[in-house]
Amino acid sequence: MDALRRRAWWILVAVSATLVMFGAGDIVIGPTFDPGITLGLTGLTHAQLQAESEAGYRVLDFYTRSGGVHLLVVGLALAAITLVPYRAGAAWAWRTMWLLPAWNAGVFAMSAWFGVAEGQSPPPPMLSAPFIGGLTVVALLLDAGRFRARKL
C-alpha cells in the first residue's frame, strides 16, 4: 500500500496529460475529434448539423476549438502544479488539485442538466467526468497523509 501511496501523484500527471491531449485534439481537429458529443446532445451527425445550419456549425466549431484551448491550458497548469509544488509536498498544491474533481463534477452536472437527445447514448464527457473525478479523489486521498504532516 505504501508503494501505491508514493506513486498516487502519477494519476494526477496522467489526468493532466489526458486533458492536454483532448485539448490539442479539439484545437486541431475541431468538433469531429469527438463526434459522440454532437450526436449525444443533438441526435444529429456532424454532416447533418452542418447541412441544417452552416452558421450554427461554425459556432460549434469555434466553441469546440476554444474549449480545446481551455482544456490545454488547464491540463498544462495542473501538470505544472503536480510536477513541481505538489511533488515537493506544498500543501497549497494538494488543496488546489481538489479543483480537478470539482470541475469533473461540474462537467457531469452540466451534461446531465443539458440532457441527452432522445434515443442517443450519453456524450463521452458525461461518462468520463465521473470516472476521472473519482480517480483523482482516490489519488488525492491516498496522498493526503503526506500533506497533513505539513499542516494543511
Side-chain angles (χ1 to χ4, degrees):
M1 189 67 152
D2 231 18
L4 183 59
R5 282 192 178 118
R6 284 194 313 270
R7 291 176 181 85
W9 68 276
W10 278 102
I11 293 171
L12 303 174
V13 172
V15 168
S16 299
T18 301
L19 293 175
V20 168
M21 181 191 72
F22 281 124
D26 284 347
I27 292 166
V28 173
I29 299 170
T32 58
F33 182 63
D34 192 347
I37 294 173
T38 303
L39 192 59
L41 294 176
T42 67
L44 302 172
T45 65
H46 287 277
Q48 291 169 325
L49 189 60
Q50 194 169 18
E52 190 172 290
S53 173
E54 185 68 38
Y57 192 80
R58 184 166 161 77
V59 171
L60 171 66
D61 186 48
F62 174 79
Y63 276 102
T64 298
R65 292 174 196 270
S66 295
V69 171
H70 297 133
L71 283 173
L72 183 79
V73 170
V74 167
L76 289 172
L78 291 173
I81 290 169
T82 304
L83 291 170
V84 182
Y86 185 96
R87 201 168 143 210
W92 71 264
W94 183 81
R95 288 190 306 269
T96 300
M97 292 306 290
W98 281 95
L99 290 170
L100 184 53
W103 176 50
N104 279 278
V107 168
F108 176 78
M110 183 66 168
S111 298
W113 175 75
F114 199 78
V116 176
E118 189 175 323
Q120 297 301 318
S121 297
M126 191 174 192
L127 303 175
S128 63
F131 174 75
I132 292 171
L135 197 59
T136 57
V137 165
V138 168
L140 289 165
L141 290 176
L142 279 171
D143 216 10
R146 183 163 65 101
F147 296 96
R148 271 196 216 113
R150 294 179 185 259
K151 294 183 183 177
L152 295 173

